[in-house]
């Protein structure tokens, strides 16, 4: 059965690129363009994994992560942060809040992102 991946990313081009790659790898993709929609879709759909951008309109990714991890119904969903924020403090904060991995966008290809997802939800 195909795994559901929720991509919370406001950059349409990047979201499309990752969506295309993950779909070709057999995943079902759910998309959200901001933090509020991401939280709503997490609660409604209980995805198998969340790919989360940090710089989002309305609610930022750190707040999304904190809210997901605080909700017992979805707190077990693994979250991979996918961000351009590459400061050590941001990475530490993301991991402390419960992310299973932190990917700096500029340093990874969609193929590498797909490989990381497969390792986490095999």
């Amino acid at each position: 059965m195909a795994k559901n991946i929720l991509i919370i990313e406001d950059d349409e081009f990047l979201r499309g690129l990752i969506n295309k790659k993950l779909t070709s790898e057999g995943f079902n993709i759910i998309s959200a363009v901001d933090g509020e929609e991401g939280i709503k879709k997490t609660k409604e759909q209980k995805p198998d994994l969340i790919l989360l951008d940090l710089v989002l309109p309305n609610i930022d990714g750190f707040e999304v992560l904190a809210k997901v991890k605080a909700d017992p119904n979805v707190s077990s969903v693994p979250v991979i942060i996918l961000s351009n924020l590459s400061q050590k403090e941001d990475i530490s904060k993301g991991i402390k809040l419960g992310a299973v991995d932190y990917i700096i966008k500029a340093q990874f290809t969609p193929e590498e992102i797909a490989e990381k997802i497969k390792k986490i939800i095999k």
Side-chain angles (χ1 to χ4, degrees):
M1 192 169 134
K3 300 281 187 183
N4 295 317
I5 310 294
L6 172 59
I7 302 173
I8 307 173
E9 167 64 70
D10 61 328
D11 181 312
E12 194 177 334
F13 176 75
L14 185 64
R15 197 175 58 244
L17 209 64
I18 295 168
N19 187 334
K20 194 173 172 187
K21 177 63 189 164
L22 295 179
T23 303
S24 77
E25 297 281 343
F27 294 108
N28 289 328
I29 304 303
I30 307 158
S31 293
V33 296
D34 65 37
E36 284 174 19
E37 186 186 7
I39 291 167
K40 187 171 174 259
K41 287 191 173 177
T42 299
K43 289 178 179 184
E44 288 171 1
Q45 317 233 354
K46 289 195 184 159
D48 295 292
L49 183 135
I50 299 169
L51 263 184
L52 175 64
D53 185 15
L54 291 176
V55 182
L56 293 165
N58 305 323
I59 301 176
D60 74 16
F62 288 124
E63 198 177 330
V64 172
L65 181 57
K67 286 188 171 177
V68 167
K69 292 301 169 186
D71 183 332
N73 293 317
V74 291
S75 62
S76 63
V77 175
V79 177
I80 297 178
I81 291 173
L82 181 63
S83 182
N84 281 322
L85 299 179
S86 56
Q87 299 297 320
K88 279 199 167 65
E89 304 82 62
D90 294 320
I91 297 169
S92 296
K93 184 177 178 183
I95 299 300
K96 273 195 193 106
L97 284 171
V100 293
D101 207 341
Y102 194 111
I103 298 173
I104 297 162
K105 288 178 188 176
Q107 298 173 3
F108 285 87
T109 64
E111 288 75 24
E112 290 167 316
I113 294 168
E115 288 309 309
K116 279 189 175 275
I117 289 171
K118 285 184 206 164
K119 281 191 185 112
I120 292 167
I121 60 170
K122 55 181 180 269

